[in-house]
């Protein structure tokens, strides 16, 4: 439905253009011509006339200059649309002329108003010549030849400007010199002069050629802009002292040199005079920045001033970098533009004590100290600045924000930025770092800032054209887990704001085994070790029997109980105390365990296994025999139950000494 409306809209547009654009027609009337005779030494010249053609007629139009003299001479010449010339042979000196301009084309013609003058009154005087000037105060002088015009008096106009200005400032009614009352010190001024010799219709001469003059010197004002390039260390010994060359309108004279005052930590002070006539190796100046080459090792304070023939500036202190100050964190961003870096930050929640200003600096990554480096100082209440310079495309710049105090500075924030982002290069050293049954670790080398052509956003890895992994730019490895058995291929490429760079690939294979196999071998080894430990313990550690199964102890327990009954029984007045005699097992060696026995009165009775000195009664011998039988074998309750409760003879059934007696009976040491 909208298609039929298109021709209508085009027709309306053509009609509007037709009505708005000027239509061809008769020319507009030109302005009245203004004529003069240029100065030529020794002879008269042609009459030159100028006019304004008015509105452009849009079609070819001819212009002609017509004149009549009082002598009845009439003539015309063809001219351009803005000027025409009456030849010298077609007019007479000091004659009255009337002049007009006529414009004509195919649609008609138009005539200007008439101009009347005497040819003797339209002669221009010679152009003045500025001869010399005085710098203090700044005054220029010139000469003009009005004698040829029949007059010695003149009236002139002067226009002037500084070299860095475009517009002129004009002064009128000047005679033979011009004094500039308040010139800028040590500044180049440009002057031009034109004059008119006295007469009823005197014409001004042409402007003279531009004349340049220096104003006088004055003592420099304002302090130098001093800073330092400390690289990544921010340590004073590694810092390079720098300052910006002061503009001419501030230094107000020719720079003769710089004075650098170095205050050291040990209390000494050194003053270095850097003369611009012979700077030597002390200072290198280029691109309107100067670098002080001596080291700042051991320096605690630096001041720099510039001087000319009239004086010196106030010393400018260097804010040496410091660390350890508790400063708030700021939000810091850098946005790139084609020709600039737009830096902005947030104000701290509370004002920073004793802070004078901010400094924003940028440093091209990868260049030596002081190269690709610049800084700008910012008022403490501002939160943004535009850095302009000769930034290279696809190049990394480290932009930093500093807080400046009286004689120190502290880094607040920094960021890496690019003036223009480009596609990153191919990732290098992409390889398999570790591989197991189903797990693989891939690694690669970081793309450096000098090669990335843009800020790396991430590394993109693609597994088998299916799975995509976006890895942080701070990492250089990736772990792939639970891969299937077979061949695998992984592609990697870096990404910047300009897009993804070229890819690099790697191929590897995995073979997945059953899950229990990876535990089988460690389990077998652990089992064998455990079995060996058990066997060793069984061979080295004898079984210790339970003493509660000893018949001797059971018999002693009965004797002890009966003794207690006799002691506490009121019917028995003379209780008997049993005597326990330790005897040697006849199966031990005679000298294996010699033991001594004590009598109730504390005397030694004899040594077991050797000659006995005590004569035993039949009752005692019977008790000892029962005791020996009781200790000769330890009865295991479980074994008694299995054997049906039959124990048999202690010495007849067992041919060896029991374990209990070996373990518990006293032996000679």
């Amino acid at each position: 439905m909208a298609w039929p409306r298109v021709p209508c809209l085009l027709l309306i547009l053509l009609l509007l253009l037709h009505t708005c654009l000027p239509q061809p027609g008769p020319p507009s009337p030109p302005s009245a011509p203004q004529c003069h005779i240029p100065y030529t030494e020794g002879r008269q010249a042609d009459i030159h006339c100028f006019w304004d053609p008015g509105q452009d007629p849009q079609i070819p139009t001819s212009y002609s200059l017509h004149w009549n003299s009082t002598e009845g001479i009439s003539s015309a010449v063809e001219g351009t649309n803005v000027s025409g010339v009456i030849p010298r042979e077609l007019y007479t000196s000091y004659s009255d002329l009337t002049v007009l301009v006529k414009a004509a084309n195919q649609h008609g013609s138009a005539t200007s108003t008439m101009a009347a003058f005497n040819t003797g009154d339209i002669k221009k005087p010679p152009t003045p010549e500025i001869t010399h000037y005085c710098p203090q105060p700044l005054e220029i002088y010139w000469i003009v030849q009005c004698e040829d015009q029949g007059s010695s008096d003149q009236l002139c106009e002067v226009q002037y400007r500084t070299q860095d200005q475009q517009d002129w400032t004009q002064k009128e009614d000047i005679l033979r010199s011009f004094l500039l009352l308040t010139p800028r010190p040590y500044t180049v001024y440009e002057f031009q002069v034109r004059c008119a010799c006295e007469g009823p219709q005197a014409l001004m001469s042409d402007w003279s050629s531009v004349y340049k003059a220096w104003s006088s010197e004055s003592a420099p004002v304002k302090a130098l802009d001093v800073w330092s390039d400390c690289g990544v260390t921010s340590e004073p010994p590694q810092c390079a002292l720098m300052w910006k060359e002061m503009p001419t309108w501030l230094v107000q004279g020719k720079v003769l040199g710089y004075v650098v005052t170095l205050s050291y930590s040990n209390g000494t002070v050194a003053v270095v005079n850097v003369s611009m006539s012979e700077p030597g190796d002390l200072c290198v100046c280029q691109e309107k920045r100067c670098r002080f080459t001596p080291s700042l090792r051991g320096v605690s304070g630096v001041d720099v001033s510039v001087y000319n023939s009239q004086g010196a500036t106030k010393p400018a202190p260097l804010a040496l970098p410091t660390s350890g100050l508790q400063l708030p964190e700021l939000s810091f961003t850098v946005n790139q533009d084609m020709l600039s870096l737009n830096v902005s930050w947030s104000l701290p929640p509370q004002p920073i004590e004793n802070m004078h200003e901010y400094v924003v600096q940028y440093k091209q990554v990868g260049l030596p100290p002081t190269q690709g480096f610049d800084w700008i100082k910012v008022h403490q209440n501002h939160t943004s600045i535009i850095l302009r310079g000769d930034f290279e495309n696809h190049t990394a710049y480290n932009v930093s924000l500093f807080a400046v105090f009286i004689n120190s500075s502290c880094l607040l924030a920094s960021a890496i930025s690019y003036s223009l982002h480009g596609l990153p290069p191919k990732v290098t050293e992409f390889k398999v770092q570790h591989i197991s049954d189903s797990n693989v670790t891939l690694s690669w080398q970081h793309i450096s800032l000098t090669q990335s052509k843009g800020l790396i956003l991430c590394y993109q890895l693609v597994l088998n054209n299916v799975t995509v992994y976006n890895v942080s730019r701070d990492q250089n490895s990736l772990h792939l887990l639970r891969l299937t058995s077979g061949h695998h291929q992984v592609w990697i490429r870096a990404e910047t704001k300009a897009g993804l760079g070229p890819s690099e690939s790697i191929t590897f294979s995995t073979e997945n085994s059953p899950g229990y196999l990876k535990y089988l071998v460690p389990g077998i080894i652990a089992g064998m070790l455990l079995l060996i430990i058990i066997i060793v313990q069984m061979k080295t550690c004898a079984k210790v029997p339970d003493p509660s199964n000893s018949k001797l102890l059971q018999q002693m327990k009965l004797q002890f109980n009966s003794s207690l009954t006799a002691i506490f029984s009121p019917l028995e007045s003379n209780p008997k105390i049993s005597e326990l005699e330790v005897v040697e097992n006849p199966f031990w060696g005679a000298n294996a365990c010699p033991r001594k026995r004590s009598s109730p009165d504390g005397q030694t009775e004899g040594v077991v296994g050797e000659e006995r000195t005590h004569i035993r009664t039949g009752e005692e011998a019977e008790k000892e025999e029962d005791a020996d039988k009781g200790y000769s074998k330890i009865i295991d309750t479980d074994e008694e139950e299995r054997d049906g409760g039959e124990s048999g003879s202690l010495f007849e059934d067992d041919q060896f000494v029991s374990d209990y007696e070996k373990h518990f009976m006293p032996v000679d040491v």
Side-chain angles (χ1 to χ4, degrees):
M1 297 299 292
W3 176 251
R5 298 181 182 178
V6 174
C8 297
L9 294 175
L10 293 176
L11 180 60
I12 294 173
L13 181 60
L14 291 175
L15 291 174
L16 291 174
L17 292 174
H18 181 73
T19 56
C20 294
L21 292 176
Q23 300 301 313
S28 301
S31 65
Q34 295 181 354
C35 302
H36 70 273
I37 299 174
Y39 173 80
T40 56
E41 188 175 355
R43 65 181 181 86
Q44 285 189 335
D46 302 332
I47 298 176
H48 294 261
C49 297
F50 299 89
W51 60 85
D52 182 8
Q55 187 177 358
D56 187 2
Q58 301 294 323
I59 59 174
T61 301
S62 63
Y63 293 85
S64 58
L65 182 64
H66 301 261
W67 71 95
N68 294 316
S69 66
T70 56
E71 292 83 2
I73 301 175
S74 299
S75 186
V77 294
E78 294 293 329
T80 67
N81 63 333
V82 294
S83 66
V85 177
I86 300 176
R88 174 66 186 85
E89 60 271 12
L90 297 181
Y91 76 93
T92 58
S93 299
Y94 298 97
S95 62
D96 294 327
L97 297 180
T98 56
V99 183
L100 59 85
V101 180
K102 184 178 181 180
N105 61 23
Q106 62 182 7
H107 294 286
S109 62
T111 303
S112 71
T113 57
M114 190 177 295
F117 52 84
N118 187 284
T119 56
D121 296 333
I122 61 173
K123 294 180 181 179
K124 274 194 172 185
T127 303
E129 179 185 0
I130 302 175
T131 57
H132 63 284
Y133 80 99
C134 179
Q136 183 64 30
L138 183 58
E139 186 174 7
I140 61 171
Y141 301 87
W142 64 87
I143 58 174
V144 61
Q145 301 295 334
C146 279
E147 289 79 5
D148 296 343
Q149 305 295 107
S151 174
S152 60
D153 296 331
Q154 61 191 25
L155 196 64
C156 303
E157 294 179 356
V158 177
Q159 64 180 10
Y160 65 90
R161 66 183 179 183
T162 60
Q163 264 188 329
D164 56 354
Q165 291 178 335
Q166 297 293 328
D167 300 329
W168 293 91
T169 301
Q170 291 190 358
K171 297 294 181 180
E172 299 178 350
D173 301 332
I174 309 299
L175 296 178
R176 296 182 182 274
S177 66
F178 172 70
L179 174 64
L180 187 58
L181 296 177
T182 56
R184 186 186 299 170
Y186 199 67
T187 303
V188 178
Y189 281 87
E190 297 177 344
F191 296 92
Q192 283 185 314
V193 181
R194 66 180 181 179
C195 298
C197 297
E198 279 192 349
Q201 294 181 350
L203 296 180
M204 280 288 180
S205 68
D206 293 331
W207 287 106
S208 67
S209 58
V210 175
Y211 184 83
K212 295 182 179 181
W214 282 91
S215 60
S216 61
E217 291 190 8
S218 180
V221 296
K222 202 175 179 180
L224 281 171
D225 188 357
V226 181
W227 193 241
S228 60
D229 181 8
C230 299
V232 297
T233 60
S234 296
E235 295 294 333
Q238 306 300 326
C239 294
L241 172 62
M242 300 184 69
W243 61 82
K244 293 183 179 180
E245 292 181 350
M246 187 174 286
T248 304
W249 61 274
L250 286 177
V251 73
Q252 301 188 144
K254 182 181 179 180
V255 175
L256 299 180
Y258 298 91
V259 176
V260 181
T261 304
L262 304 174
S263 301
Y264 290 90
S265 303
N266 57 7
T268 60
V269 178
V271 179
V272 182
N273 183 16
V274 182
S275 174
M276 287 293 96
S277 59
E278 297 179 357
D281 297 333
L282 296 175
C283 181
V284 177
C285 294
Q286 53 181 309
E287 298 181 355
K288 297 184 178 181
R289 285 182 292 273
C290 296
R291 177 190 177 187
F292 186 67
T293 54
S295 172
L296 300 182
R297 184 176 299 277
V299 170
S300 60
V302 180
D303 296 290
V304 186
S305 62
V306 59
Y307 64 91
N308 60 15
S309 62
Q310 301 299 314
T313 61
K314 181 181 178 181
L318 171 64
L320 291 171
T322 58
S323 59
L325 297 179
Q326 297 296 328
L327 297 178
E329 294 185 1
L330 304 180
S331 175
F332 184 69
T333 58
V334 180
N335 297 320
Q336 75 281 357
D337 201 351
M338 291 295 295
L339 300 175
S340 64
L341 295 175
N342 302 326
V343 185
S344 61
W345 60 92
S346 61
L347 286 175
Q350 295 180 353
I352 302 176
E353 279 188 47
N354 301 323
M355 191 189 79
H356 287 189
E357 58 190 354
Y358 293 107
V359 167
V360 179
Q361 75 169 34
Y362 70 84
K363 168 76 176 178
Q364 183 175 340
V365 177
L367 291 185
T370 71
Q371 295 186 19
F373 175 81
D374 200 2
W375 71 94
I376 185 170
K377 295 184 176 180
V378 186
H379 192 272
Q380 59 180 347
N381 293 331
H382 293 176
T383 59
S384 63
I385 191 66
I386 298 177
L387 299 177
R388 303 186 187 276
D390 298 329
F391 297 111
E392 299 181 9
N393 293 337
H394 310 152
T395 303
Y397 291 88
N398 187 2
V399 183
S400 304
L401 177 67
F402 291 85
V404 179
F405 304 92
I406 297 177
N407 292 317
S408 62
S409 63
C410 184
L411 177 65
L412 295 178
S414 64
I416 298 295
S417 182
Y418 288 77
S419 57
L420 184 64
H421 290 270
L423 294 178
K426 183 182 293 187
V427 179
T428 59
E429 297 189 16
F430 185 43
K431 59 185 178 180
V432 176
Q433 187 176 14
H434 175 72
I435 187 170
S436 61
D437 293 337
S438 61
N439 302 330
V440 174
T441 301
L442 305 177
S443 64
W444 59 90
Q445 186 179 23
H446 280 301
I447 300 177
S448 65
L449 293 175
T450 57
Q451 298 176 347
S452 60
K453 298 183 179 181
L455 186 62
I456 301 295
L457 300 179
C458 68
Y459 293 97
Q460 186 183 91
L461 290 89
V462 181
L463 173 62
N464 299 329
N465 286 327
V466 176
T467 308
V468 179
Y469 301 91
N470 290 322
V471 182
S472 171
R473 63 189 177 193
D474 299 326
Q475 299 181 8
N476 66 337
S477 63
L478 176 65
H479 302 283
L480 300 177
L481 306 177
R482 295 182 294 275
L483 297 176
T484 58
S485 179
H487 297 283
H488 302 278
Q489 190 171 20
V490 179
W491 288 265
I492 185 173
R493 52 185 177 176
E495 182 180 7
T496 65
K497 289 185 177 180
L500 292 167
S503 60
E504 177 69 16
S505 64
I506 191 172
T507 303
F508 56 89
S509 300
T510 57
E511 295 181 0
N512 293 349
S513 57
Y516 65 86
L517 292 180
K518 60 183 179 181
Y519 303 108
L520 182 59
V521 174
I524 293 175
I525 295 175
M528 293 178 64
L529 291 175
L530 181 60
L531 182 60
I532 293 173
I533 293 173
I534 293 174
I535 293 174
V536 171
Q537 288 183 349
M538 291 178 64
K539 289 185 176 182
T540 57
C541 300
K543 181 179 177 181
V544 179
D546 187 0
S548 61
N549 295 325
S550 174
K551 291 184 178 181
L552 179 61
L553 290 181
Q554 291 176 1
Q555 187 176 8
M556 290 174 61
K557 182 179 179 182
L558 293 176
Q559 284 185 338
F560 182 73
N561 292 336
S562 60
S563 301
L564 289 178
T565 304
I567 291 173
F568 294 100
S569 175
L571 300 178
E572 186 175 357
S573 58
N574 296 319
K576 291 184 180 181
I577 297 177
S578 300
E579 179 182 357
L580 176 62
E581 180 184 5
V582 180
V583 296
E584 183 182 358
N585 194 304
F587 292 96
W588 296 350
N591 299 323
C593 298
R595 291 177 297 273
K596 296 182 179 180
R597 293 180 300 176
S598 298
S599 62
D601 57 356
Q603 299 295 325
T604 300
E605 295 185 358
V607 179
V608 178
E610 296 180 356
E611 183 181 356
R612 298 179 183 269
T613 57
H614 177 69
I615 301 173
R616 293 175 294 173
T617 62
E619 183 180 355
E620 290 176 351
E622 185 178 359
K623 289 181 180 181
E624 286 180 359
E625 184 179 357
D626 294 338
D628 289 341
K629 290 181 181 180
Y631 271 95
S632 62
K633 183 178 181 180
I634 297 176
I635 300 173
D636 195 340
T637 308
D638 296 336
E639 293 179 357
E640 282 185 342
E641 293 177 356
R642 288 193 303 266
D643 297 338
E646 296 179 359
S647 59
S649 174
L650 293 174
F651 290 95
E652 294 176 359
D653 297 337
D654 296 323
Q655 300 298 325
F656 301 99
V657 181
S658 66
D659 293 333
Y660 182 82
E661 276 78 10
K662 289 182 179 180
H663 191 77
F664 288 99
M665 293 299 291
V667 296
D668 289 336
V669 179

